[in-house]
Amino acid sequence: MIESLVREEALAVEILKYSRNELLVSFRFLDLAICKLKYLHGMGMRMGTDGNYLYYEPDEVFAIYKESSALLNHIYFHSLLHCIFYHPFAHGDVDETLWNLACDIAVESIISELSMSQLEVERQEEIANKLESLSQRYGTLTAHRLYDSFLKKGIAPEEMAYLQQLFTFDCHDAWYDTKRQNQEGQPPKDETDQLETLSQWQQISERIKVEMETVSKEWSDKSDQLIKNLEEVHKEHYDYEQFLKKFAVTVEEMIISKDEFDYIFYTYGLELYDNVPLIEPLEYCEDKKVTDFVIAIDTSGSVEGELVKKFMTKTYNILSQQSNFFRKVNVHIIQCDAKVQRDDKITSEEEFDEYISHLTLQGFGGTDFRPVFSYVNELVEQGEFTNLKGMIYFTDGKGVFPENKPPYDTAFVFVDETYDTPQVPVWAMKVCLTKKEIWEG
């Protein structure tokens, strides 16, 4: 009996290795990822992964392979993509049902777009049709984007059941083992091992991204969904406060430099020479402060008014911190669509506070960036700014960019919800913030 079980396990592993080798031949740029998973008897768990192991039941492997070798390849690749995009490592109180569905849809969108015969399953056409419908409804089909949409908008039970039936290929139980063991009072898996596994997949995923941008560019053309899912997990999260400091200019404030002033020698001199200090305190200290600055707000019809207000509040909160905000400032807040609609000049924190509390937007036409740059250039020529360091342009990006670099730094700030933000000119900086990052400001 034992020998029979051992032979069954060995045969199942050989079949899984055969499937792995087929994937290696088809997707050489995924070699590290494909070879990362080890095989482990699932002890009742259906085929799936936790990032370390591909769990299997011999009878299930035999049944799947007998039905179709392409189906086994599909399930293997489906589980592998979950790891590449860190799906098994979701933290916090995630809604397991919604997260599972969002992750399954995301990886199936990639497999469907690749359109490889080695991965084709019986319901492939139905999957492709539904994915097109979901894309029209939700936009880019990435796990986090879908999950957020499901949470906010909800999903009808009958649709949930249909989507689960259509997109579920593997078992996700191993994703939540630690949380369930904690709830049941059982000894949890080593969290250090889990973090190490996640770190390994992050390195693998980063290499895949670089590989697709360099020697395997042809795969970038074959799968836009693969690229967008990689962009989601590797998207840089900007520290907006640090970014604003890029526009700081050096000014002098009459304050003692604590880093350079030595109180020991100073007080010693007072005692030794009867109130004559040995060292004069450094009264001037260079500090970087925001002085001249332009914030351009795109008020075209495609930009949400409330989000603009929240962005301005976020920017105000950062600028108004004592470490960043100079006593007297010269900030121009310019509202514009296809033309300049309004220019508000701010010279103090009090004026900024007053502006924010009574902010009204004007415009809501088309978008053309050039009029704002022309207007600001005229202000520079008229001497309105002493030292204009930069402009931040908050926009959805759907407009005409100036051809020439202005005599000041420029950053375009986009709301990064679709991962389809346009390329900015080479002389401009680009910042992408999510709506969540703006609303939490």
Side-chain angles (χ1 to χ4, degrees):
M1 180 66 176
I2 295 177
E3 292 181 359
S4 175
L5 293 175
V6 171
R7 286 196 299 270
E8 286 182 357
E9 287 189 19
L11 180 57
V13 169
E14 285 302 312
I15 294 173
L16 290 173
K17 287 182 178 179
Y18 180 79
S19 181
R20 179 196 64 189
N21 293 339
E22 282 208 357
L23 295 177
L24 276 170
V25 171
S26 300
F27 307 101
R28 292 187 178 278
F29 69 101
L30 298 177
D31 55 351
L32 281 181
I34 294 172
C35 295
K36 173 71 173 68
L37 295 178
K38 295 166 284 190
Y39 306 116
L40 187 65
H41 194 296
M43 303 303 291
M45 185 189 303
R46 288 179 45 244
M47 192 167 170
T49 184
D50 62 356
N52 273 318
Y53 298 99
L54 184 66
Y55 296 98
Y56 70 92
E57 280 293 325
D59 288 344
E60 182 188 19
V61 173
F62 299 153
I64 294 171
Y65 187 68
K66 183 177 180 180
E67 179 181 345
S68 167
S69 62
L71 175 59
L72 185 62
N73 294 343
H74 189 114
I75 297 172
Y76 200 132
F77 195 58
H78 179 108
S79 293
L80 192 69
L81 289 175
H82 282 317
C83 298
I84 291 173
F85 305 122
Y86 322 147
H87 295 165
F89 309 102
H91 298 291
D93 296 325
V94 66
D95 184 311
E96 294 180 18
T97 302
L98 295 180
W99 179 243
N100 288 342
L101 179 60
C103 293
D104 283 336
I105 293 173
V107 299
E108 284 302 310
S109 70
I110 295 169
I111 295 174
S112 178
E113 191 174 59
L114 287 171
S115 190
M116 304 283 287
S117 60
Q118 301 93 320
L119 304 173
E120 191 169 325
V121 295
E122 187 176 343
R123 57 183 189 268
Q124 199 69 58
E125 185 175 352
E126 184 181 1
I127 289 174
N129 291 337
K130 189 59 182 178
L131 286 170
E132 183 177 356
S133 172
L134 291 172
S135 180
Q136 292 174 356
R137 189 193 315 178
Y138 296 109
T140 305
L141 300 179
T142 62
H144 288 281
R145 181 178 177 83
L146 285 165
Y147 179 73
D148 289 342
S149 296
F150 292 158
L151 278 180
K152 293 175 183 177
K153 301 176 182 178
I155 182 169
E158 59 274 11
E159 182 179 14
M160 168 71 78
Y162 172 67
L163 293 176
Q164 288 175 324
Q165 177 272 327
L166 190 61
F167 292 106
T168 299
F169 281 89
D170 64 346
C171 178
H172 299 172
D173 287 352
W175 297 9
Y176 310 104
D177 272 357
T178 300
K179 183 166 72 172
R180 289 187 180 133
Q181 286 170 343
N182 287 335
Q183 291 171 344
E184 297 169 2
Q186 299 177 13
K189 288 183 178 179
D190 191 331
E191 293 186 3
T192 302
D193 289 344
Q194 287 186 311
L195 291 175
E196 183 179 346
T197 302
L198 171 59
S199 176
Q200 292 169 355
W201 278 109
Q202 287 172 335
Q203 294 176 33
I204 291 172
S205 184
E206 179 62 36
R207 174 176 165 173
I208 292 171
K209 183 174 182 291
V210 172
E211 181 86 5
M212 293 187 69
E213 292 171 348
T214 54
V215 297
S216 299
K217 288 183 179 180
E218 70 275 8
W219 285 103
S220 302
D221 298 330
K222 291 180 181 178
S223 181
D224 186 54
Q225 289 295 330
L226 178 56
I227 289 294
K228 287 176 179 176
N229 275 270
L230 283 170
E231 287 177 350
E232 178 181 72
V233 295
H234 293 288
K235 183 179 60 140
E236 181 178 357
H237 292 279
Y238 292 94
D239 184 330
Y240 191 53
E241 180 176 355
Q242 292 299 319
F243 180 79
L244 283 181
K245 289 180 181 179
K246 291 178 180 289
F247 293 96
V249 293
T250 301
V251 297
E252 285 189 338
E253 282 193 89
M254 295 182 66
I255 59 174
I256 294 176
S257 174
K258 296 180 181 179
D259 294 332
E260 299 180 45
F261 181 59
D262 192 328
Y263 282 97
I264 295 177
F265 286 99
Y266 182 76
T267 55
Y268 177 70
L270 294 178
E271 295 176 1
L272 185 65
Y273 298 108
D274 192 20
N275 293 330
V276 178
L278 283 177
I279 302 173
E280 287 291 333
L282 300 174
E283 295 182 343
Y284 291 89
C285 174
E286 284 192 346
D287 197 9
K288 288 183 179 292
K289 303 289 184 179
V290 177
T291 52
D292 292 350
F293 200 68
V294 173
I295 303 173
I297 306 171
D298 181 356
T299 59
S300 65
S302 55
V303 176
E304 301 175 23
E306 288 302 317
L307 193 65
V308 169
K309 292 181 180 181
K310 200 64 183 178
F311 171 77
M312 286 303 307
T313 301
K314 182 181 182 75
T315 304
Y316 161 70
N317 288 339
I318 294 174
L319 288 177
S320 62
Q321 294 175 15
Q322 187 176 358
S323 61
N324 292 343
F325 209 66
F326 197 48
R327 290 189 178 90
K328 294 294 289 184
V329 297
N330 182 23
V331 178
H332 281 252
I333 302 175
I334 302 172
Q335 297 185 33
C336 43
D337 46 21
K339 63 180 180 179
V340 174
Q341 296 288 348
R342 177 171 175 171
D343 178 13
D344 291 274
K345 181 177 179 178
I346 307 297
T347 62
S348 67
E349 288 191 66
E350 292 75 19
E351 290 181 6
F352 211 148
D353 196 19
E354 180 71 14
Y355 172 82
I356 291 294
S357 62
H358 296 92
L359 176 61
T360 56
L361 301 179
Q362 299 176 6
F364 309 107
T367 303
D368 189 337
F369 302 129
R370 295 171 298 181
V372 174
F373 284 88
S374 298
Y375 176 74
V376 172
N377 291 342
E378 290 176 5
L379 293 180
V380 172
E381 292 175 0
Q382 295 168 7
E384 171 61 24
F385 299 105
T386 302
N387 184 11
L388 176 59
K389 180 61 178 176
M391 175 201 296
I392 279 189
Y393 209 130
F394 181 68
T395 176
D396 65 353
K398 301 183 178 80
V400 182
F401 293 94
E403 292 183 3
N404 301 319
K405 181 185 184 304
Y408 42 83
D409 292 337
T410 304
F412 289 91
V413 179
F414 300 96
V415 181
D416 186 15
E417 292 295 309
T418 65
Y419 307 100
D420 289 327
T421 53
Q423 292 296 318
V424 301
V426 293
W427 45 261
M429 287 175 276
K430 177 179 179 179
V431 181
C432 296
L433 299 175
T434 65
K435 289 183 178 179
K436 182 179 180 180
E437 288 170 329
I438 294 174
W439 279 99
E440 290 180 350

